[in-house]
């Protein structure tokens, strides 16, 4: 059914459609609308779920680990500081092979309180064993959240659905909201592989010596690899019911592109506009949107960038002491390819700074006019700021 | 459709290994950590070691607490055929050694023993006791007093045929002819004598053992046990002693017991400080006379039981301390007794040492006197021979093995330092064990055999141990108060032994101590620490952190699983009664 | 001892607790009192290791080990899931040490209790971070040596009163208990089981290794703590009604301290100060219970 929904509500609706049973959340801007909608659904009976109003994000993830281990489908949402606080337990959720799904609203990290979009928070968690999807618009958010449960449960790993602060979370867009019956056809009730059960007692998370820990981690690694192929199959099923698919990556006009932008999140939407514009002026630009970040779709990326002469990665994040994170990952993907183009890394939109078409154009020309990258990362739009001393 | 595809996906993506445990830790045998090893080991309670008969008192109290009165009574009978007698007349050295005495008050072991005998009587119980197979040897016993009867009892349990020869008309010795009825009623005594006979002992009354009869006995019996007692009162050796008015304390008691009490109106003096003197004095009061005890030392030095002295004084008996008779003179119908005054010049063996206080004397005028300063064997040949080769002098009996002839043994008051009923029982037991060993293995085996069945540090012996009973597994170590974990006990007052009030006592010879109910007896027995014995409190099982104390069907009721026991020692410390031992683990 | 206790065991031998481990005794009692319809949340503590390594477990009931801070939160999640599955019989129990309760786990505990989550939180208290090698916690008593309060830096802060902190939340049921008083402990566990909402049990679980006492003294030392009023046995219902379960004869604290290696450095003056503190706390407790010294 077509509706105009705020991005946050789109998340909440998807959670409702997924028939989540236990929700736990701690409020943090700009995630708050998500949890407020869900609170309301639980209170009015629109959703049959328990809502745990825990006292911190760390407790939030702990509660979900407890609930999921007891055999129910769970959900939470957080952002920025909250995600950072959860860090220890993100590792725990994946190591415990729990298919928890979380909506993560990309927000800048303090100090300097900054509630606006920045990808550093979610990318800083890229090692935690969570599958990560970066969404471009509200429709994608709804679809990806539903798919996330199916994918998570298929490989027994948790999934993070990432959306930009305010640009996605607080923007109203028309979306096609699935009916409950359709969602049920796509996503069956949760059947836990293992759970806390008095009839069949076991102990989760005991001491694990070196002799077997490595094997457990390897099993997780293998599951991550499988997630990649499972995702394609899940998208097949989704497309059959709903008529939509996204792909782990989306290559736009890459076949004959000389320069390919690598983007993620809402920047992709802006990039599409700039693509149209530049192509109309005869520039051979392509866009590679990365949706699935973990597991990193090495093959898809290598394939999409095979023909490019230059690659320009736009990172709305930074790994201090290194470079933008998408750039690092793309460089790593291309390193062992037979031939690959130089990768230009650009840092833009940090801490909510707007990534306008002009910013993307600047990036295009910088890329075109330099044979090789002048340095690992080029920060776009830096200003001289003087306030007091 | 969704379910099927999800199930398929899940099946295609199994988790091979994750942090999830499904096995127990039982394969980890933590017993290998141990360097100290606990085990169940019962030890000796101080009361049982202090009891000359070696009664298994801790066990008796435990069984009483559990309401197993018959079993408790039988436990006594294994070591002493006279619970009803001793429960009335014994001076209970057990209570003096009782560890509970250091906590609050000693257990009223004496009252409980009597209760058990009373219960057996009331229900006409017949004991079921272990007996060894019949032996060919026969033993003759001279004297049916406590020592002779005890010897007969034990020898019968050991398989021997016993004949007891008693001079007087009825068996019992001092129990029948000495101790007054208000301490020991006739029914109680007769029941226990009948019980001895029921085991197969033959008692022949009116058959005194003369020197000649002894020679006959020597021919027909492989051993003769002489337990004739001290039937003759020692002389005062003062002028006037032979006069009519100067009576023999023992004979007086005998006449009273025979139903022919001599007239004792007026003032009667009793010379002496032992139980006989007190018995005489208290009997006089009941017969309407006034009694005056004249004793050469102080009240606290009197060998008579403290309780008895106390009751005597309450009943109106008067006591003059530190006086010794010098002479007796007749004065009309009365007698003047001149007494030398004594003074205490020091302490000796727990009693005061006295000597005449210059030449000070006092005189008392009385209607008659009774001598009760001590007793000795009625015939000189009753006494055991001096120690020499061929004579074995044990703590409570003497044995003389003679080549080519039968064995003679002596016991009871004839051999014992302390002249009491329970010591007499100890003599009977020693003689029985000595003779049994002699018959089976020869004289050299006697001392080692004694060693093997001694209780605590001795000299008390246990017949149950000698006969191979469970008690033999106990460690001889006597449990001290410091070894009791008193955290598990609450202060609880000792029971009060109900008694006739003074006014009622002095009118009759009715028994003074009254019966107690099962309720009171059990409650009192529950106060017992059961030193060194396992009373199944289960603390060990309760507190073991390693689940290594396992309940089972064995007599102990539990065992230690040494596969897992880490030797922490908690069970040993939390055992309130030191019934466990922690020792070095030997690998 | 007269206790009605099931013969069944809910744990296996072969666990790796130190000899004389008070925490193992406490676990055994609590399991017996609660029975098999229970699930246990176990944040990091000695028992995380005692329970044995993969693929084994000492415990026969379902257990989820969890991160150090999360005792209260993980249990909230387990409870919510059970409720969603319609299971009204299974008791959710958090089993945590003093570290995971008084310090790093306090937030989650407070949060869960404030929400009146329906679970039993059991803190077995060995008065330091024992699992990591005897470092001080806010439960370590005044006067104690630990590896982080060594020498002259012995702990000069009082032991945090966790029960009172939770009483301030108006928790439906909070009680202290000791491994030395099993009947009292088991009665309280069974009483807690019958109450809905948050319930807290503070169990005194001595640690021979950390307190430097012989292993065989573990129960006795716990008893002495009760007998000296250092660890009083009491219950509080609805954060209002105090019941003091035992009024011991008030043995002086001196002997309790002298026996333990972790208190060897204390002088007579220190012990006098401590005696005053104990007497003060006891008088305060009596007042709360509406009684007088």
């Amino acid at each position: 059914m077509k509706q105009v929904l705020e991005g946050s509500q789109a998340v909440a609706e998807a959670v409702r459609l997924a028939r989540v049973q236990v929700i736990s959340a701690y409020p943090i801007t700009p995630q708050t609308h998500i949890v407020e909608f869900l609170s309301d659904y639980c209170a009015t009976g629109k959703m049959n779920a328990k809502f745990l109003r825990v006292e911190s994000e760390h407790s939030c993830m702990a509660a979900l680990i407890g609930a999921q281990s007891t055999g129910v489908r769970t959900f939470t949402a957080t952002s920025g500081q909250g995600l950072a606080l959860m860090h220890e337990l993100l590792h725990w959720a994946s190591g415990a092979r729990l298919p928890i799904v979380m909506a993560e609203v990309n927000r800048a990290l303090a100090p300097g309180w900054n509630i606006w979009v920045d990808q550093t928070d979610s990318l800083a968690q890229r090692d935690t064993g969570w599958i990560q999807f970066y969404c471009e618009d509200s429709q994608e958010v709804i679809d990806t959240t539903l798919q996330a449960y199916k994918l998570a449960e298929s490989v027994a790993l948790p999934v993070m659905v990432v959306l930009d602060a305010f640009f996605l979370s607080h923007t109203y867009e028309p979306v096609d909201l699935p009916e409950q019956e359709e969602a049920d056809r796509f996503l069956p009730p949760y059947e836990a592989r293992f759970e806390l059960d008095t009839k069949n007692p076991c102990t989760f998370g005991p001491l694990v010596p070196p002799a077997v820990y490595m094997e457990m981690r390897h099993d997780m690694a293998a599951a991550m690899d499988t997630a990649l192929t499972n995702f394609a199959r899940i998208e097949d099923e989704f497309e059959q019911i709903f008529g939509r698919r996204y792909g782990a990556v989306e290559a736009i006009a890459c076949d004959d592109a000389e320069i390919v932008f690598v983007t993620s999140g809402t920047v992709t939407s802006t990039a599409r506009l700039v693509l149209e514009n530049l192509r109309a002026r005869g520039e051979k630009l392509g866009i590679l949107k990365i949706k699935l970040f973990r597991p990193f779709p090495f093959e898809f990326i290598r394939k999409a960038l095979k023909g490019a002469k230059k690659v320009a990665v736009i990172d709305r994040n930074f790994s201090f002491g290194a470079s933008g994170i998408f750039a690092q990952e793309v460089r790593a993907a291309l390193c062992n390819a037979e031939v690959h183009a130089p990768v230009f890394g650009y840092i833009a939109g940090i801490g909510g700074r707007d990534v306008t078409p002009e910013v993307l154009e600047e990036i295009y020309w910088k890329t075109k006019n330099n044979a090789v990258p002048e340095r690992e990362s080029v920060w776009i739009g830096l200003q001289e700021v003087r306030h007091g001393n | 459709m969704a379910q099927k595809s999800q199930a398929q996906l899940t099946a295609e993506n199994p988790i091979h290994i994750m942090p999830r445990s499904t096995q127990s830790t039982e394969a980890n045998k933590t017993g290998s950590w141990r360097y100290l090893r606990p085990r169940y080991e019962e030890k000796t309670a101080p009361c049982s070691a202090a009891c000359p008969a070696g009664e298994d008192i801790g066990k008796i109290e435990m069984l009483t607490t559990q309401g197993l009165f018959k079993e408790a009574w039988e436990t006594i009978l294994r070591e002493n055929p006279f619970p009803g007698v001793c429960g009335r007349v014994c001076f209970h050295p057990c209570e003096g050694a009782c560890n509970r005495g250091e906590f609050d008050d000693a257990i009223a072991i004496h009252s409980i023993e009597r209760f058990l005998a009373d219960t057996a009587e009331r229900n006409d119980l017949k004991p079921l006791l272990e007996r060894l197979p019949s032996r060919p040897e026969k033993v003759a016993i001279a004297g049916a007093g406590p020592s002779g009867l005890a010897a007969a009892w034990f020898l019968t349990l050991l398989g021997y045929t016993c004949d007891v020869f008693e001079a007087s008309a009825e068996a019992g010795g001092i129990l029948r002819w000495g101790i007054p009825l208000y301490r020991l009623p006739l029914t109680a005594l007769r029941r226990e004598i009948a019980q001895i006979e029921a085991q197969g002992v033959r008692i022949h009354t009116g058959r005194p053992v003369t020197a000649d009869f002894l020679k006959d006995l020597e021919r027909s019996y492989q051993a003769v046990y002489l337990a004739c007692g001290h039937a003759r009162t020692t002389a005062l050796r003062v002028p006037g002693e032979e006069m009519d008015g100067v009576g023999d304390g023992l004979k007086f008691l005998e006449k009273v017991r025979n139903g022919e009490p001599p007239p004792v109106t007026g003032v009667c003096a009793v010379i002496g400080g032992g139980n006989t003197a007190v018995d005489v004095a208290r009997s006089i009061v009941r017969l309407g006379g006034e009694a005056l005890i004249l004793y050469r030392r102080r009240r606290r030095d009197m060998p008579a039981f403290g309780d008895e002295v106390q009751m005597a004084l309450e009943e109106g008996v008067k006591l003059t301390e530190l006086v010794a008779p010098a002479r007796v003179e007749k004065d009309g119908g009365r007698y003047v007794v001149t007494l030398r005054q004594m003074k205490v010049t020091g302490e000796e063996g727990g009693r005061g040492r006295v000597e005449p206080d210059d030449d000070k004397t006092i005189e008392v005028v009385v209607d008659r006197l009774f001598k009760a300063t001590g007793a000795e064997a009625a015939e000189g040949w009753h006494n055991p021979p001096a120690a020499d080769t061929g004579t074995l002098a044990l703590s409570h009996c003497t044995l003389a093995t003679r080549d080519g002839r039968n064995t003679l043994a002596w016991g009871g008051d004839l051999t014992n330092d302390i002249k009491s009923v329970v010591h007499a029982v100890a003599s009977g037991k020693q003689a029985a064990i000595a003779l049994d060993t002699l018959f089976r293995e020869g004289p050299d085996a006697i001392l080692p055999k004694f060693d093997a069945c001694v209780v605590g540090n001795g000299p008390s012996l246990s017949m149950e141990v000698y006969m191979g009973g469970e008690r033999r597994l106990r460690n001889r170590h006597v449990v001290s108060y410091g070894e009791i974990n008193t955290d598990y006990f609450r202060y609880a007052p000792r029971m009060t032994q109900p008694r006739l009030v003074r006014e009622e006592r002095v009118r009759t010879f009715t028994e003074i101590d009254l019966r107690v109910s099962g309720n009171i007896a059990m409650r009192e027995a529950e106060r017992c620490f059961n030193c060194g014995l396992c009373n199944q409190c289960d603390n060990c099982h309760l507190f073991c952190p390693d689940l290594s104390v396992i309940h089972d069907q064995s007599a102990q009721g539990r065992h230690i699983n040494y596969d897992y026991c880490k030797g922490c020692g908690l069970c040993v410390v939390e055992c309130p009664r030191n019934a466990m031992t922690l020792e070095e683990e030997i690998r | 001892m007269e206790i009605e206790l099931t013969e069944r065991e809910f744990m296996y031998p072969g666990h790796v607790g130190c000899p004389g481990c008070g925490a193992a005794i406490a676990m055994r009692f609590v399991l017996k009192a609660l029975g098999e319809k229970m699930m246990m949340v176990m944040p990091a503590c000695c028992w995380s290791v005692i329970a044995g390594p993969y693929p084994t477990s000492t415990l026969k009931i379902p257990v989820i080990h969890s991160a150090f801070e999360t005792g209260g939160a993980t249990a909230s999640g387990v409870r919510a899931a059970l409720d969603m599955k319609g299971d009204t019989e299974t008791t959710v129990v958090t089993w945590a040490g003093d570290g995971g309760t008084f310090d790093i786990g306090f937030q989650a505990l407070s949060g869960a209790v404030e929400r009146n989550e329906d679970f039993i939180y059991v803190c077995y208290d060995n008065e330091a971070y024992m699992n990591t090698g005897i470092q001080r916690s806010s439960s370590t008593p005044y006067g104690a040596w630990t590896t982080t309060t060594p020498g002259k830096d012995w702990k000069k802060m009082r032991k945090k009163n966790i029960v009172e902190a939770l009483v301030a939340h108006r928790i439906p049921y909070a009680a202290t208990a000791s491994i030395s008083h099993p009947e009292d402990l088991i009665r309280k566990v069974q009483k807690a089981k019958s109450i809905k909402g948050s319930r807290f049990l503070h169990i005194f679980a001595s640690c021979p290794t950390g307190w430097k006492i012989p292993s065989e003294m573990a129960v006795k030392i716990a008893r002495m703590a009760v007998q000296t009023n250092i660890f009083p046995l009491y219950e509080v219902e609805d954060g209002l009604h105090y019941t003091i379960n035992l009024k011991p004869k008030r043995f002086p604290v001196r002997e309790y301290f002298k026996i333990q290696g972790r208190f060897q450095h204390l002088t007579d003056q220190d012990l006098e100060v401590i005696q005053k503190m104990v007497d003060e706390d006891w008088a305060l407790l009596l007042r709360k219970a509406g009684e007088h010294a």
Side-chain angles (χ1 to χ4, degrees), chain A residues 20-22 48-50 52-60 62-72 88-89 92 195-209 212 216, chain C residues 36-40 48-49 52-54 56-57 59-70 73-74 76-85 87 90 107-109 111-112 114-115 117:
Chain A
V20 165
Q21 294 164 286
V22 171
N48 179 25
K50 283 242 178 278
L52 287 171
R53 299 153 189 83
V54 288
E55 74 297 334
S56 86
E57 287 89 348
H58 191 276
S59 289
C60 172
L64 291 194
I65 288 168
Q68 190 87 38
S69 298
T70 312
V72 298
E88 177 196 18
L89 297 179
W92 197 290
E195 58 191 306
L196 289 168
D197 182 358
T198 53
K199 290 192 207 61
N200 191 18
C202 68
T203 293
F204 288 106
L207 198 70
V208 169
V212 285
M216 293 179 185
Chain C
E36 68 179 349
K37 281 229 145 260
M38 66 179 281
M39 287 180 181
M40 188 169 270
S48 307
V49 177
Y54 174 91
T56 66
S57 178
L59 299 168
K60 295 188 187 179
I61 48 145
V63 176
I64 173 168
H65 289 272
S66 72
F68 207 174
E69 321 82 323
T70 66
T74 309
S76 302
V78 174
R79 181 74 257 162
L82 287 172
D83 289 346
M84 285 306 294
K85 290 166 85 172
D87 181 336
T90 303
Q107 177 200 305
L109 168 59
E114 180 272 324
R115 295 190 297 276
E117 298 283 359

Side-chain angles (χ1 to χ4, degrees), chain C:
Chain C
M1 197 165 281
E2 303 291 323
I3 314 183
E4 289 235 1
L5 208 52
T6 174
E7 187 67 16
R8 279 182 69 184
E9 299 290 349
F10 294 91
M11 55 190 266
Y12 295 104
H15 67 71
V16 298
C18 301
C21 173
I25 297 173
M27 172 67 86
R28 190 160 161 247
F29 288 157
V30 171
L31 289 175
K32 278 180 181 274
L34 287 177
E36 68 179 349
K37 281 229 145 260
M38 66 179 281
M39 287 180 181
M40 188 169 270
V41 170
M42 193 177 286
C45 59
C46 278
W47 257 97
S48 307
V49 177
I50 293 174
Y54 174 91
T56 66
S57 178
T58 286
L59 299 168
K60 295 188 187 179
I61 48 145
V63 176
I64 173 168
H65 289 272
S66 72
F68 207 174
E69 321 82 323
T70 66
T74 309
S76 302
V78 174
R79 181 74 257 162
L82 287 172
D83 289 346
M84 285 306 294
K85 290 166 85 172
D87 181 336
T88 50
E89 289 182 345
T90 303
T91 307
V92 177
V93 177
T94 295
W95 182 264
D98 50 289
T101 303
F102 286 58
D103 295 337
I104 196 171
F106 189 65
Q107 177 200 305
L109 168 59
S110 171
V113 170
E114 180 272 324
R115 295 190 297 276
N116 201 22
E117 298 283 359
D118 185 24
F119 76 128
I120 302 177
Y121 190 109
V122 182
C123 171
Y124 66 95
D125 188 358
N126 52 27
E127 301 194 321
Y129 298 132
M130 292 305 185
N131 189 25
T132 43
I134 323 171
Q135 295 88 18
R136 70 86 105 190
S137 78
S138 63
S139 166
T140 304
Y142 179 97
W145 163 93
T146 65
T147 56
T148 47
T149 55
K152 63 168 177 54
D153 282 342
W154 51 268
K155 189 171 187 255
K156 305 213 178 54
M157 267 78 235
R158 284 171 104 118
K159 183 186 175 93
K160 184 189 282 191
N161 193 326
I162 190 75
V163 169
E164 293 305 307
L166 293 172
V167 161
H169 291 53
R170 292 288 182 91
I171 188 172
Y173 184 72
T176 61
S178 169
I179 58 169
S180 59
H181 291 72
E183 309 113 312
D184 175 77
L185 191 159
I186 285 155
R187 177 186 66 82
K188 284 168 174 164
V189 174
Q190 289 172 336
K191 180 167 175 179
K193 185 177 178 184
S194 70
I195 296 173
K196 284 254 166 276
S198 299
R199 296 141 277 163
F200 183 81
L201 289 165
H202 184 195
I203 302 182
F204 195 74
S206 43
C207 172
T209 308
W211 299 7
K212 311 287 182 213
I213 55 172
S215 56
E216 67 264 23
M217 293 294 285
V219 173
K220 183 149 182 86
I221 203 78
R223 197 176 294 118
M224 286 171 82
V226 173
Q227 288 167 334
T228 52
N229 285 344
I230 285 169
F231 192 84
L233 297 180
Y234 69 103
E235 319 167 63
V236 189
E237 286 161 282
D238 298 316
L240 291 171
H241 309 292
Y242 284 71
T243 305
I244 300 178
N245 306 117
L246 192 68
K247 299 212 182 75
K249 260 164 95 158
R250 298 231 347 243
F251 295 95
V253 301
R254 181 189 187 78
E255 208 198 315
Y256 173 79
F257 284 90
K258 277 298 163 202
I259 295 183
Q260 301 180 58
R262 62 175 174 155
F263 292 123
Q264 275 315 295
H265 49 275
L266 296 175
T267 64
D268 287 341
Q269 272 137 302
D270 296 329
L271 290 173
E272 273 172 36
V273 167
I274 291 173
Q275 182 71 66
K276 273 209 193 64
M277 283 163 58
V278 171
D279 292 342
E280 229 174 62
D281 287 341
W282 175 250
L284 178 59
L285 181 61
L286 285 174
R287 283 204 297 280
K288 288 181 179 168
E291 305 181 32
H292 304 284

Side-chain angles (χ1 to χ4, degrees), chain A residues 3 5-20 23 31-42 46-49 51 75-77 103 105 138 141-143 145-146 149 161 163 168-169 175 177-178 180:
Chain A
Q3 288 186 29
L5 290 181
E6 192 194 41
S8 302
Q9 189 168 15
V11 175
E13 287 292 325
V15 172
R16 174 184 65 81
L17 290 168
R19 297 195 187 272
V20 165
I23 301 163
Q31 151 265 45
T32 43
H33 285 188
I34 301 175
V35 300
E36 285 164 11
F37 279 115
L38 287 170
S39 256
D40 182 64
Y41 294 171
C42 290
K46 197 167 166 192
M47 248 187 109
N48 179 25
F51 192 106
F75 175 81
T76 188
V105 185
S138 292
V141 165
I142 294 173
D143 295 345
T145 303
L146 274 174
Y149 281 101
V161 177
L163 55 155
L168 262 194
S169 63
V175 292
L177 190 62
Q180 184 66 67

Side-chain angles (χ1 to χ4, degrees), chain B residues 95-111:
Chain B
E95 291 188 13
C98 177
N99 276 332
R100 181 105 194 192
E102 285 192 60
F103 183 71
D104 46 24
D105 303 308
I107 307 303
I109 299 167
H110 184 64
S111 301

Side-chain angles (χ1 to χ4, degrees), chain B residues 501-540:
Chain B
V501 296
R502 187 171 56 84
E503 292 76 13
E504 291 171 301
R505 296 204 307 246
V506 300
R507 277 199 273 278
T508 68
F509 280 81
T510 307
E511 188 178 11
I512 293 173
D513 283 350
L514 305 173
R515 286 174 191 265
V516 300
S517 65
N519 188 326
I520 290 179
M522 285 171 79
R523 225 167 343 131
E524 180 64 18
E526 201 173 31
R527 292 176 64 244
C528 174
F529 289 153
N530 305 127
C531 301
L533 300 176
C534 174
N535 72 348
Q536 311 281 319
C537 78
D538 227 18
N539 271 8
C540 48

